[in-house]
Amino acid sequence: MNFNESQLTAIHFHKGPAIVLAGPGSGKTAVVTMRVKTLIEEYHVNPANILVITFTKAAANEMKERFTKLMDRGGIPVSFGTFHGVYFTILKHAYNYRAENVITEEEQLHVLRRIVEKMNLEYENEKEFLENILSEISRVKGDRLELSHYFPTNCAKEVFQRIYEEYDRALRGMRKIDFDDMILYCYELFCERPDLLEAWRNKYQYILIDEFQDINKLQYDVIKMLASPRNNLFIVGDDDQSIYGFRGARPEIMLNFPNDFPGAKIISLNVNYRCQENIVRDAISVICHNEKRYQKEIVAFHKSEEPVHIKEYPDVAEEAGDIISLIRMYQEKEDLSYGEMAILTRTNEGARYIIEKLMEHNIPFRAKDNIPSLYGHWIAQNIFAYINLALGNRDRNLFMQIMNKPKRYISRDVLTSPVINFDDIRMEYLNSRSWMLERIDQLEGDLHVLSNLNPFGAINYIRRGIGYDEYLSEYAQEMEINPDELFDVLNELQEAAREFDTYSQWFKHIERYEEEMKNRKKEVRKTGEDAVNIVTMHSAKGLEYKTVFLIDVNESIVPYKKAVLNNEMEEERRMFYVAMTRAKEHLHICHVKTRFNKNLEVSRFVNEIIEGQEKKG
């Protein structure tokens, strides 16, 4: 392989601290593996004293395989691993930990579920709530925060503190540790046992870290201890691609590296070998609006054959229709396989509509992420419960789903039979709370109205006539979440119901859709079928495709509304930069005027591209 000047500078770097700024498609993996080879063959470093860290097991294995191939022989004792893998190895030697001491995600959720049930907390989506709490626990540990100073986003502060303490107590009782504890305990071990720290320093005299922009504070604190005093710390990453803030990644650590290690050499891998020139140019037009970043001059190796395509559509139906036409055109006329194309969305939920349309047009697809079913969402289940009760179903569990949505103050105690009867419920309240009779009459009357409506009209009536919108607003306030996220689900569901005249037609369509989603996943996995890739912007990092479609590039979607409210604009811009630079040849940026009857503005990132194009003429 021929290396450019900056790559060769990185490869032949010997001792001391160095920071390698490696932009998209700059060949960083080749540089890391080649530098390890150079340390061994040119500088005669003992391979057993070299440690290479990356963030995922798959990336560590790939790095090791490439290094083995490069050396043309196996058995060289260089250590390749993840932060967790390396730190757990240290703990195994110190405390005799084994794999069974590491708590699984399933066990974590079970522990949290028990704690939350004991506290009598109410929430609609159990899995989502528990996963969000786990993420916040991880953030507290990863940033070494004082629990009393942390303000959670998924529940009240006092509630989170109690859950955190109970969770920590439960793990200690089980003699289990989670992934964050691996690093926390390692930090504490090194603070308390300087003799052990010295032993590991002598073991790992040269440390290389890939994807350094994704590091959190605790991981960095341990690495600094391990690298000192030699400070042979070679970090590789791109601050412009730091997009995992929700996992605790702190790009400012990379930005402050020269302050922590004065005299650190800064090497910029400034040639993009992946994307055509116009894609690189327009991506830089966006990312240069971020203030907290290293200034870089990125050049494209490949000259441009076409511009970045930016197009506005009246609505999501027109957008989806055009994307399907383009996919067919690329496959038939440009001879691209489906697998060389990707549709990128900001969130998992953002893929639901385009997936439904791909199914309708019989275009195979694979979803890299688990796309949550619109029809499986608890809000959809509430709507279905109302409709099924309106159609005569009197199942007690169905009734319990909606009896207090909105609040009617119907008690579970009055539901004594597996099948509910409105007259029986009235009898329960006749002598004690007669004011409840009017509410029960109203509910029964509402169900009668629903029985004569079409699906779209029914959802509209449930929302505004019965008061379900009001219930969602109150629920969002109680749970301290943004109500817009809930209303987005309801708006999408209502729009999906618009084209059906009867409940029967709609339910048959939903059944077919759910069945086909299961079958498609199985088929693509089983046969490796050529399929269009559906990927979120987060999951697209590290991937590349000849043709990329970025859909719904509108304010409140890209950038995401929650990020705008939380002042996380720079990370949103980095995510868009990552998304743009997945495309090698063809990049389509799509935005809509309306989405599910809501007027939308074009994303500020699109305007930044257009401004950049105008400046460069």
Side-chain angles (χ1 to χ4, degrees):
M1 181 177 176
N2 294 322
F3 292 101
N4 64 40
E5 192 178 327
S6 58
Q7 288 173 327
L8 287 170
T9 303
I11 287 166
H12 291 285
F13 181 80
H14 184 197
K15 286 185 175 179
I19 178 167
V20 178
L21 302 172
S26 60
K28 68 182 177 63
T29 306
V31 166
V32 172
T33 51
M34 195 65 188
R35 184 191 179 233
V36 175
K37 181 181 182 185
T38 303
L39 285 175
I40 296 165
E41 294 183 348
E42 189 175 317
Y43 299 118
H44 310 295
V45 173
N46 183 342
N49 294 143
I50 301 172
L51 171 64
V52 182
I53 299 179
T54 189
F55 277 80
T56 67
K57 203 169 181 180
N61 289 339
E62 185 195 344
M63 193 86 77
K64 186 175 183 177
E65 282 171 24
R66 288 181 67 162
F67 171 71
T68 303
K69 210 174 276 183
L70 189 65
M71 300 298 286
D72 206 23
R73 62 192 171 94
I76 302 171
V78 174
S79 298
F80 290 87
T82 62
F83 277 106
H84 295 112
V86 172
Y87 294 168
F88 188 58
T89 299
I90 293 168
L91 293 179
K92 277 197 291 188
H93 282 82
Y95 300 129
N96 295 317
Y97 276 125
R98 296 180 180 178
E100 54 263 33
N101 294 118
V102 181
I103 193 166
T104 65
E105 188 179 343
E106 193 179 325
E107 288 173 324
Q108 283 180 300
L109 292 171
H110 179 68
V111 168
L112 280 182
R113 195 175 289 113
R114 283 204 325 247
I115 293 166
V116 168
E117 283 172 359
K118 197 166 70 174
M119 292 171 67
N120 292 319
L121 294 178
E122 287 189 14
Y123 44 80
E124 286 292 347
N125 190 322
E126 178 190 82
K127 192 168 185 289
E128 184 181 318
F129 178 72
L130 298 180
E131 285 174 350
N132 287 340
I133 291 293
L134 269 182
S135 180
E136 298 213 66
I137 289 172
S138 178
R139 184 170 296 182
V140 170
K141 291 182 180 182
D143 284 349
R144 284 177 50 221
L145 298 172
E146 281 288 333
L147 185 58
S148 58
H149 295 163
Y150 181 70
F151 291 89
T153 57
N154 290 287
C155 60
K157 186 179 177 184
E158 301 74 28
V159 171
F160 178 75
Q161 286 182 6
R162 190 174 154 199
I163 292 174
Y164 184 99
E165 287 161 357
E166 291 277 346
Y167 170 78
D168 192 51
R169 198 174 297 124
L171 259 60
R172 290 177 187 273
M174 298 160 68
R175 201 172 185 266
K176 295 270 189 180
I177 60 173
D178 61 24
F179 281 104
D180 299 293
D181 289 332
M182 286 181 194
I183 304 167
L184 186 59
Y185 289 5
C186 210
Y187 175 80
E188 291 170 352
L189 175 71
F190 284 168
C191 288
E192 293 162 11
R193 293 288 304 274
D195 57 325
L196 289 180
L197 174 57
E198 188 59 29
W200 286 103
R201 281 172 172 170
N202 288 329
K203 164 72 174 162
Y204 297 133
Q205 296 180 22
Y206 288 81
I207 302 172
L208 298 85
I209 303 177
D210 189 22
E211 302 287 5
F212 189 80
Q213 75 278 349
D214 295 333
I215 202 166
N216 70 27
K217 186 179 187 308
L218 188 56
Q219 290 165 341
Y220 185 50
D221 288 344
V222 179
I223 279 296
K224 282 193 294 184
M225 294 168 84
L226 204 52
S228 180
R230 295 180 182 88
N231 292 334
N232 293 328
L233 192 52
F234 184 87
I235 68 163
V236 182
D238 183 7
D239 54 306
D240 289 335
Q241 295 187 75
S242 180
I243 60 172
Y244 296 124
F246 67 98
R247 290 185 195 158
R250 296 288 174 261
E252 58 270 21
I253 293 173
M254 190 168 187
L255 293 169
N256 292 330
F257 188 83
N259 298 328
D260 293 338
F261 294 91
K265 187 167 184 66
I266 300 176
I267 305 163
S268 180
L269 304 186
N270 64 339
V271 181
N272 181 318
Y273 291 96
R274 176 191 299 149
C275 314
Q276 289 190 358
E277 191 175 31
N278 280 336
I279 296 171
V280 172
R281 183 201 66 191
D282 288 352
I284 290 169
S285 294
V286 174
I287 200 64
C288 70
H289 283 78
N290 273 2
E291 292 177 8
K292 298 173 187 171
R293 65 184 289 266
Y294 286 104
Q295 296 300 316
K296 312 173 189 73
E297 291 295 326
I298 308 290
V299 296
F301 183 77
H302 300 289
K303 297 304 172 194
S304 280
E305 293 178 13
E306 62 180 75
V308 171
H309 305 280
I310 299 172
K311 189 169 179 180
E312 181 179 69
Y313 299 92
D315 53 38
V316 292
E318 292 279 344
E319 177 189 54
D322 195 39
I323 288 170
I324 283 161
S325 298
L326 286 165
I327 287 170
R328 286 197 166 131
M329 183 274 291
Y330 280 121
Q331 196 215 17
E332 292 164 11
K333 294 182 182 174
E334 303 274 336
D335 203 26
L336 285 188
S337 67
Y338 286 131
E340 292 175 296
M341 296 182 256
I343 298 169
L344 269 54
T345 62
R346 173 60 183 83
T347 64
N348 286 328
E349 291 81 2
R352 287 190 293 228
Y353 187 82
I354 190 73
I355 280 178
E356 211 158 329
K357 296 304 162 189
L358 289 169
M359 280 183 182
E360 279 179 26
H361 290 84
N362 209 28
I363 292 177
F365 64 89
R366 70 165 60 82
K368 187 176 189 317
D369 306 272
N370 184 26
I371 308 296
S373 166
L374 171 65
Y375 307 116
H377 195 284
W378 62 267
I379 290 175
Q381 292 298 308
N382 286 173
I383 298 299
F384 298 155
Y386 264 115
I387 291 171
N388 280 308
L389 287 163
L391 295 174
N393 191 323
R394 290 294 178 265
D395 180 82
R396 179 178 182 267
N397 291 330
L398 210 58
F399 184 74
M400 282 172 61
Q401 269 193 61
I402 55 86
M403 65 185 187
N404 288 312
K405 298 172 187 175
K407 283 177 185 163
R408 299 182 180 92
Y409 302 97
I410 300 172
S411 168
R412 289 183 177 209
D413 296 339
V414 303
L415 308 177
T416 54
S417 164
V419 177
I420 66 111
N421 182 298
F422 281 100
D423 288 335
D424 291 345
I425 297 171
R426 286 189 187 89
M427 288 300 294
E428 292 286 342
Y429 287 113
L430 190 59
N431 298 319
S432 55
R433 287 184 283 171
S434 56
W435 50 270
M436 284 290 294
L437 300 180
E438 189 179 330
R439 296 182 181 206
I440 295 159
D441 288 346
Q442 180 66 50
L443 174 55
E444 193 172 21
D446 286 334
L447 294 177
H448 178 71
V449 171
L450 286 176
S451 68
N452 295 307
L453 297 174
N454 62 28
F456 183 87
I459 296 174
N460 202 50
Y461 185 77
I462 292 166
R463 295 181 67 171
R464 293 168 180 87
I466 294 178
Y468 191 78
D469 275 10
E470 190 181 334
Y471 157 72
L472 281 188
S473 296
E474 287 175 5
Y475 174 76
Q477 194 172 358
E478 284 169 22
M479 298 301 292
E480 298 181 7
I481 58 177
N482 187 341
D484 287 349
E485 292 178 33
L486 305 179
F487 286 119
D488 282 350
V489 174
L490 201 44
N491 290 336
E492 188 176 349
L493 184 72
Q494 188 169 2
E495 195 59 29
R498 185 187 287 275
E499 61 189 270
F500 300 97
D501 296 325
T502 67
Y503 295 131
S504 174
Q505 287 174 357
W506 192 35
F507 288 157
K508 276 179 186 168
H509 166 78
I510 292 167
E511 198 178 322
R512 278 197 306 271
Y513 170 81
E514 299 280 66
E515 191 60 34
E516 193 155 347
M517 273 296 277
K518 283 182 201 165
N519 292 339
R520 292 266 178 156
K521 281 181 186 174
K522 284 179 193 167
E523 195 59 31
V524 168
R525 204 179 294 126
K526 188 172 72 180
T527 64
E529 179 187 4
D530 181 32
V532 174
N533 299 279
I534 312 286
V535 194
T536 63
M537 292 181 182
H538 271 117
S539 295
K541 189 167 174 290
L543 304 176
E544 58 181 46
Y545 308 94
K546 283 193 177 176
T547 299
V548 168
F549 300 92
L550 307 183
I551 65 170
D552 301 332
V553 184
N554 290 85
E555 287 292 307
S556 85
I557 301 172
V558 183
Y560 194 49
K561 54 185 168 260
K562 191 190 278 188
V564 176
L565 287 170
N566 295 339
N567 199 24
E568 295 165 353
M569 188 52 60
E570 294 221 341
E571 178 151 328
E572 287 293 299
R573 191 174 277 109
R574 291 193 293 268
M575 199 178 315
F576 191 66
Y577 174 75
V578 167
M580 290 181 72
T581 53
R582 299 313 93 196
K584 295 198 281 187
E585 296 176 10
H586 316 285
L587 176 59
H588 294 263
I589 298 175
C590 313
H591 58 98
V592 295
K593 281 186 176 179
T594 62
R595 181 178 171 84
F596 309 132
N597 290 324
K598 281 167 63 178
N599 292 326
L600 296 180
E601 291 178 40
V602 62
S603 168
R604 67 192 74 187
F605 302 151
V606 171
N607 290 330
E608 288 167 5
I609 292 171
I610 294 166
E611 283 168 21
Q613 289 173 344
E614 287 170 353
K615 276 181 191 171
K616 285 165 182 151

